[in-house]
Amino acid sequence: MSPRGTSPTIVDVAREAGVSIKTVSRVLNHEPGVHETTRDQVLKVVEALRYRPKQSARSLAGGRSFLIGLLYYDPSANFVGSVQQGATLRCRELGYHLVVESLHNDAPDLRQQIDRMVMALRPDGMILTPPLCDNPEVLAALRDSGTPCVLMSPERDIRSVPSVRMDDVHAAEEITNLLLSLGHRHIAFIKGPPDQSASAARYQGFVNALQAHDLQPDPELVQPGNFTFASGRDAAHKLLSGRQRPTAVFASNDDMALGVLAAAHRLGLNVPNELSVAGFDDSPTAALVWPPLTTVRQPVVEMARMAVEMLVTGPRNAVSAPVDETDLHRVLPHELVVRDSTRAR
Amino acid sequence: MSPRGTSPTIVDVAREAGVSIKTVSRVLNHEPGVHETTRDQVLKVVEALRYRPKQSARSLAGGRSFLIGLLYYDPSANFVGSVQQGATLRCRELGYHLVVESLHNDAPDLRQQIDRMVMALRPDGMILTPPLCDNPEVLAALRDSGTPCVLMSPERDIRSVPSVRMDDVHAAEEITNLLLSLGHRHIAFIKGPPDQSASAARYQGFVNALQAHDLQPDPELVQPGNFTFASGRDAAHKLLSGRQRPTAVFASNDDMALGVLAAAHRLGLNVPNELSVAGFDDSPTAALVWPPLTTVRQPVVEMARMAVEMLVTGPRNAVSAPVDETDLHRVLPHELVVRDSTRAR
DNA sequence: CTGAAAGCGCTTACAG
DNA sequence: CTGAAAGCGCTTACAG
């Protein structure tokens, strides 16, 4: 049973079970057309010998590696952590394994790095996270290699390339509705960087919710930001020392919301009594600050599970009916996380 | 060049270069004893055909998978993110790939999960992070399978099992020395959970530094904690409302230090003017709070690089001299990160 | 429902 | 310095 000693092979199982290796293979791969008695017998021997087929042999002979690749850029992002969590779990259930590669989005030899991985490992599918899933070079390399991909939260969907995402617009609407329902009417909004589609989507949700209440965003209460702590803090300083102070701030991500919290503390403003603050992302820090942040949790773990599933049970197993575009682009439900940083005014 | 079409094989390269596949193999594996002219010719063809050996074939024939496994438990830990960062980079340099598996430390089928991975993939080595690297069941499974391991920051070193760590004692001494040099004499300490060796080590460093200044820890200023935000906040409440308030608090990890910050804010205590606070770990949040936290950065990325290296250039390539125990247990230098939460009293 | 043969693409001894 | 042969442990057609 030691892989470095003499672990059993399919031949051992076949001999012990009194069948051919082909039959053992059939049982192991859940192929139909094996007599139940035979199947049971084989499974018993497999169990007794603690036999596990060797991935390299399966891969070489069958052309499937049982490997899913995960390409990511920012190692510190908790997003990636959750992706892996969901992906490795689903992989395990499906008999696959996850190979990860940390790439620089602007590395000069990006293409070569990807080619090397694809050629060596032949992963059966690849999961791409932002910003790599929006990098044309990455997409091209993978397309040329014929590796199936799923994009996680890409900037925009690509025809015929599967993707998984959440609904930023609706989530931002919900946060805004929460603040409105708490009685807030002067709600500030801190935007994300203009080159990220999530920024526009979240702002759109904010506007939608206001308009549904016959309100318009106050231009003075809408500040630019770039998803960093510092940009949130600076925007908050402007907002909170302006002539008409908002009673609530919706920062379109958590890092900026933390900046708002810091600015409020410095200005001696009590959150949530004098100012409500909401974020977006449910970063690990969001629950650790004072007061804990009201925010939106992306269903990242579920998205990753879904991505693996689309890859594994994808083109190969699907009936070859014309693929439905809506099936290709999945939207998973998010979750509003109401904590102590928001309060009725 | 498309792996799903007809990618070149070693036979193609051999034919094109006018040599045997054995010679191609020699060149690819940097084996000695190939004429320089032959080598150049082969490499030229390899380049032209964009040939990459297929891992599954190499693995099946050669008994090496070129895969390093990473087993981890807590997906949210930024520790794991840094480990992967370092590990994938070093793997790439060495022609290896990293397979990750998220495991529950107390899963009933833990052994089975590990066996499955080891038997299927036959990784050439495995990196274990806390708390898995201290789990006897995990260690036993890997030992039985003959898979070489490196433990990252294990509770305690195991004879003949390689490990990589930092020096908690020294790091804690340095933080304490910093506070002492800022003029603090009433320094509180918040401990970690007693069942983690890092807790004891950090406290030891704290005591060492005090004693080197002819000081003794004040029992009233030493509080228990368990490395959580809440425990740090509670400990701080006690410390800061006691009859003799410390001028500085050394929380033995960042999460607890954040708790101290929160408690100070609530009590209206200005950090760092009225209270200095130091943490340990340099978590991502440490730089994002107000004021930014003075702390210690573990050399996690470097530790992971080292772990991969020990695995790859380990037993196989090492001269078979008796293994030096000190070579087996590496200690990498940490870094003091002085930010704004500490100030001269 | 079951099996014998061929082959996936490399590396390992073994020769020369 | 170079090569012909065997074999790693499976799966894929193809038969029966």
Side-chain angles (χ1 to χ4, degrees):
Chain A
M1 66 150 289
S2 157
R4 254 146 257 283
T6 47
S7 35
T9 73
I10 197 171
V11 175
D12 299 319
V13 176
R15 186 180 343 98
E16 196 75 19
V19 298
S20 72
I21 62 168
K22 174 63 213 181
T23 296
V24 177
S25 175
R26 280 197 184 91
V27 172
L28 259 23
N29 292 297
H30 306 101
E31 286 174 32
V34 178
H35 194 90
E36 200 173 327
T37 321
T38 316
R39 179 181 303 276
D40 289 350
Q41 171 62 12
V42 169
L43 286 176
K44 204 189 308 170
V45 175
V46 165
E47 196 55 40
L49 263 45
R50 314 200 76 221
Y51 168 73
R52 298 281 168 206
K54 209 165 165 173
Q55 179 265 346
S56 55
R58 290 230 278 174
S59 178
L60 183 57
R64 299 170 58 183
S65 65
F66 298 93
L67 254 26
I68 298 289
L70 169 64
L71 263 29
Y72 67 94
Y73 173 52
D74 184 2
S76 70
N78 67 300
F79 184 83
V80 174
S82 298
V83 169
Q84 279 192 199
Q85 173 75 350
T88 66
L89 290 183
R90 196 77 187 102
C91 275
R92 180 151 59 225
E93 290 166 2
L94 297 169
Y96 278 68
H97 290 275
L98 191 72
V99 185
V100 301
E101 198 89 14
S102 172
L103 258 31
H104 273 269
N105 195 33
D106 45 6
D109 58 342
L110 191 56
R111 166 101 201 195
Q112 201 181 320
Q113 288 180 17
I114 293 175
D115 280 350
R116 182 185 300 265
M117 178 185 187
V118 169
M119 300 288 284
L121 259 29
R122 316 288 165 119
D124 292 335
M126 199 76 99
I127 300 175
L128 305 183
T129 58
L132 294 170
C133 62
D134 301 306
N135 186 324
E137 202 181 341
V138 174
L139 262 15
L142 259 10
R143 181 175 26 71
D144 292 349
S145 74
T147 309
C149 292
V150 170
L151 314 183
M152 295 206 46
S153 300
E155 284 294 307
R156 59 202 99 264
D157 284 327
I158 301 176
R159 246 181 57 79
S160 82
V161 179
S163 67
V164 194
R165 62 166 71 249
M166 66 167 286
D167 188 337
D168 281 273
V169 177
H170 259 102
E173 271 182 49
E174 288 175 31
I175 284 275
T176 311
N177 281 334
L178 169 71
L179 295 171
L180 288 167
S181 74
L182 290 173
H184 295 282
R185 286 302 174 268
H186 298 286
I187 306 175
F189 186 91
I190 307 179
K191 291 179 154 186
D195 60 316
Q196 285 189 35
S197 66
S199 302
R202 293 173 191 182
Y203 182 64
Q204 186 61 53
F206 171 69
V207 173
N208 288 356
L210 289 185
Q211 292 180 342
H213 283 72
D214 290 325
L215 297 171
Q216 291 297 328
D218 178 346
E220 290 194 24
L221 294 187
V222 176
Q223 288 288 328
N226 60 14
F227 282 166
T228 63
F229 176 85
S231 74
R233 187 192 54 207
D234 295 349
H237 263 120
K238 264 191 211 139
L239 289 165
L240 300 178
S241 43
R243 52 176 187 75
Q244 185 191 281
R245 209 162 66 193
T247 63
V249 178
F250 177 9
S252 57
N253 84 340
D254 281 353
D255 281 354
M256 295 197 298
L258 296 178
V260 175
L261 246 35
H265 277 311
R266 294 210 77 178
L267 295 170
L269 270 175
N270 182 295
V271 177
N273 289 336
E274 299 173 83
L275 181 74
S276 283
V277 178
F280 201 110
D281 281 344
D282 195 28
S283 64
T285 310
L288 296 184
V289 290
W290 192 261
L293 212 54
T294 290
T295 184
V296 172
R297 172 155 45 227
Q298 291 202 51
V300 185
V301 173
E302 262 313 320
M303 285 161 62
R305 290 183 62 95
M306 177 68 80
V308 170
E309 201 164 308
M310 291 170 81
L311 253 14
V312 172
T313 65
R316 183 189 315 278
N317 303 27
V319 286
S320 319
V323 186
D324 187 347
E325 274 292 317
T326 56
D327 262 16
L328 233 48
H329 306 294
R330 311 286 180 93
V331 178
L332 263 36
H334 54 263
E335 185 187 347
L336 203 61
V337 182
V338 181
R339 287 196 276 244
D340 300 338
S341 66
T342 46
R343 183 167 296 180
R345 59 150 310 204
Chain B
M1 66 148 289
S2 158
R4 253 147 258 281
T6 46
S7 36
T9 73
I10 197 171
V11 175
D12 299 319
V13 176
R15 186 180 345 95
E16 196 76 20
V19 297
S20 72
I21 62 169
K22 174 62 211 179
T23 295
V24 177
S25 176
R26 281 197 183 90
V27 172
L28 258 25
N29 292 297
H30 307 100
E31 286 174 33
V34 178
H35 194 92
E36 200 173 329
T37 320
T38 316
R39 178 180 303 277
D40 289 350
Q41 171 61 11
V42 169
L43 286 176
K44 204 190 305 170
V45 175
V46 164
E47 196 55 38
L49 262 45
R50 312 199 76 220
Y51 167 73
R52 298 279 167 208
K54 211 166 164 172
Q55 178 265 346
S56 55
R58 290 228 279 172
S59 178
L60 183 58
R64 300 170 58 182
S65 64
F66 297 94
L67 254 27
I68 298 290
L70 169 64
L71 264 29
Y72 67 95
Y73 173 52
D74 183 2
S76 69
N78 68 299
F79 184 82
V80 174
S82 299
V83 170
Q84 279 191 199
Q85 173 74 351
T88 66
L89 290 183
R90 196 75 186 103
C91 275
R92 180 151 60 227
E93 292 166 0
L94 297 170
Y96 278 68
H97 291 275
L98 191 72
V99 185
V100 301
E101 197 89 15
S102 171
L103 258 30
H104 274 270
N105 196 32
D106 45 6
D109 57 342
L110 191 57
R111 167 99 201 199
Q112 203 181 319
Q113 287 181 17
I114 293 175
D115 280 349
R116 183 184 298 265
M117 179 185 185
V118 168
M119 300 288 285
L121 260 29
R122 316 289 164 118
D124 293 334
M126 200 75 99
I127 299 175
L128 304 183
T129 58
L132 294 169
C133 61
D134 301 305
N135 186 325
E137 202 181 339
V138 174
L139 262 14
L142 259 9
R143 182 174 24 73
D144 291 350
S145 75
T147 309
C149 293
V150 170
L151 314 183
M152 294 204 49
S153 300
E155 284 294 307
R156 61 201 98 263
D157 284 329
I158 301 176
R159 248 181 56 80
S160 81
V161 179
S163 68
V164 195
R165 63 166 71 251
M166 66 167 285
D167 187 338
D168 281 272
V169 177
H170 259 104
E173 271 183 48
E174 288 174 31
I175 284 275
T176 311
N177 281 333
L178 170 71
L179 295 171
L180 288 168
S181 74
L182 291 172
H184 295 283
R185 286 302 174 269
H186 298 286
I187 307 176
F189 186 91
I190 307 179
K191 289 179 155 186
D195 60 316
Q196 285 190 36
S197 65
S199 303
R202 292 173 192 182
Y203 182 62
Q204 187 60 55
F206 172 67
V207 174
N208 287 355
L210 289 186
Q211 292 181 340
H213 285 70
D214 289 324
L215 297 170
Q216 291 297 328
D218 178 345
E220 290 195 23
L221 293 187
V222 176
Q223 288 288 327
N226 60 14
F227 282 166
T228 64
F229 176 84
S231 73
R233 187 192 54 208
D234 296 349
H237 263 119
K238 265 192 213 139
L239 289 166
L240 301 177
S241 44
R243 51 176 187 75
Q244 185 191 281
R245 208 161 69 196
T247 62
V249 178
F250 176 9
S252 58
N253 85 339
D254 282 354
D255 282 355
M256 295 197 297
L258 297 177
V260 176
L261 247 35
H265 279 312
R266 294 209 77 181
L267 295 172
L269 269 176
N270 182 294
V271 176
N273 289 335
E274 299 173 82
L275 181 75
S276 283
V277 177
F280 201 110
D281 281 346
D282 196 29
S283 64
T285 311
L288 297 182
V289 290
W290 191 261
L293 212 55
T294 291
T295 185
V296 172
R297 171 155 44 227
Q298 291 202 51
V300 186
V301 173
E302 262 311 320
M303 284 161 62
R305 290 184 62 96
M306 176 69 78
V308 170
E309 202 164 308
M310 290 170 82
L311 252 15
V312 173
T313 65
R316 183 189 315 281
N317 303 28
V319 286
S320 318
V323 186
D324 189 347
E325 273 293 315
T326 56
D327 262 18
L328 233 48
H329 306 295
R330 311 285 180 95
V331 178
L332 264 36
H334 53 263
E335 185 187 348
L336 203 62
V337 182
V338 181
R339 288 196 276 243
D340 300 339
S341 66
T342 45
R343 183 166 298 179
R345 61 150 306 203

